[in-house]
Amino acid sequence: MMGPAHSLSGAAAWLGAGAIAAWAGEPMPWPVLVVGALICAGAALAPDLDHKSATISRAFGPISRLLCGVVDALSHAVYQATRTKADPRRNGGHRTLTHTALWAVLIGVGASALAATGDRWAVLGILFVHLVLAVEGLLWRAARTSSDILVWLLGAAGAWILAGVLDQPGNGSHWLFPGEGQEYLWLGLPIVLGALVHDLGDALTVSGCPILWPLPIARKRWYPVGPPKVMRFRAGSWVEVKVLTPAFLVLGGAGGLVALDLV
């Protein structure tokens, strides 16, 4: 899928998770619901770090373009080292390493560890990166017509304000993990969810997605998981724009209302 649909699906997924958490007796404080939805929207763009033309490659100027090149090369190297004879040859690393469930979990665990063991600046850094990505994805028209600096300032201001709100007692810094030294341990959850939602979205397209790597399937290590080909669509097609995007809006809105106990 394209960047805007990925981000919207990420936000909708976290709002749905909020509804499930409320049903399970662990309701999210409203700041956790809002911040988590924004982080998840940003994280849903992150697997495309292996693609030099993706939205994320433009998000942080030369830094993100350089990082995308490095990740593309790393992903291609891992693919070449682990592919079987049944896996096709390829020239780049797009939709390989960063499009797996293992990558999503590792990135989420790393973010949780950084948030829990780092200082306030670690939390601000995680928020800043994902808020900038959320703006690039959810407000992509405005982001593309404005300057990068304006988007970065918006992300920085949003990170500072939201971190201050979360720090207030009862607002969510200890949500789900109440132990001493476990502040913000939950921040990795929307990052994992966003990456997985991205992978599932790509699995619906004609190319599929190797979510289950390194498990061998049909003699392939990089088996492109997806529904039957007749049910798949091309990225940016009318199915994505006219069917899935409205569905994400409706489902996200419904999940948010349930999570906040408004229905």
Side-chain angles (χ1 to χ4, degrees), residues 68-90:
C68 282
V70 171
V71 173
D72 178 36
L74 172 64
S75 298
H76 184 245
V78 172
Y79 180 86
Q80 290 294 95
T82 61
R83 64 181 287 269
T84 67
K85 293 181 179 179
D87 289 306
R89 294 185 179 277
R90 55 188 305 151

Side-chain angles (χ1 to χ4, degrees), residues 94-257:
H94 182 45
R95 286 202 186 184
T96 55
L97 180 61
T98 62
H99 286 68
T100 65
L102 179 60
W103 175 273
V105 172
L106 290 176
I107 293 298
V109 169
S112 285
L114 179 63
T117 60
D119 56 16
R120 176 179 172 82
W121 290 105
V123 173
L124 286 171
I126 293 171
L127 291 176
F128 169 71
V129 168
H130 289 89
L131 286 179
V132 169
L133 292 177
V135 171
E136 292 282 354
L138 298 175
L139 304 176
W140 64 277
R141 290 185 185 275
R144 290 190 180 182
T145 57
S146 64
S147 70
D148 288 341
I149 294 177
L150 183 60
V151 174
W152 300 338
L153 288 174
L154 180 60
W160 189 270
I161 293 170
L162 291 174
V165 172
L166 287 170
D167 280 340
Q168 298 300 313
N171 275 4
S173 60
H174 277 94
W175 177 72
L176 205 60
F177 299 98
E180 184 67 26
Q182 295 181 341
E183 297 91 345
Y184 295 109
L185 196 61
W186 63 269
L187 281 182
L189 297 178
I191 294 174
V192 174
L193 182 59
L196 291 177
V197 168
H198 178 109
D199 296 344
L200 292 174
D202 279 353
L204 297 176
T205 63
V206 293
S207 299
C209 188
I211 304 173
L212 299 179
W213 177 85
L215 298 178
I217 303 174
R219 298 185 299 112
K220 293 182 178 181
R221 189 74 66 182
W222 297 89
Y223 184 83
V225 174
K229 289 188 177 181
V230 69
M231 299 175 62
R232 302 186 191 188
F233 58 88
R234 293 190 178 277
S237 69
W238 67 270
V239 176
E240 179 179 328
V241 176
K242 296 185 180 297
V243 178
L244 293 180
T245 297
F248 295 148
L249 285 169
V250 172
L251 292 173
L257 291 174

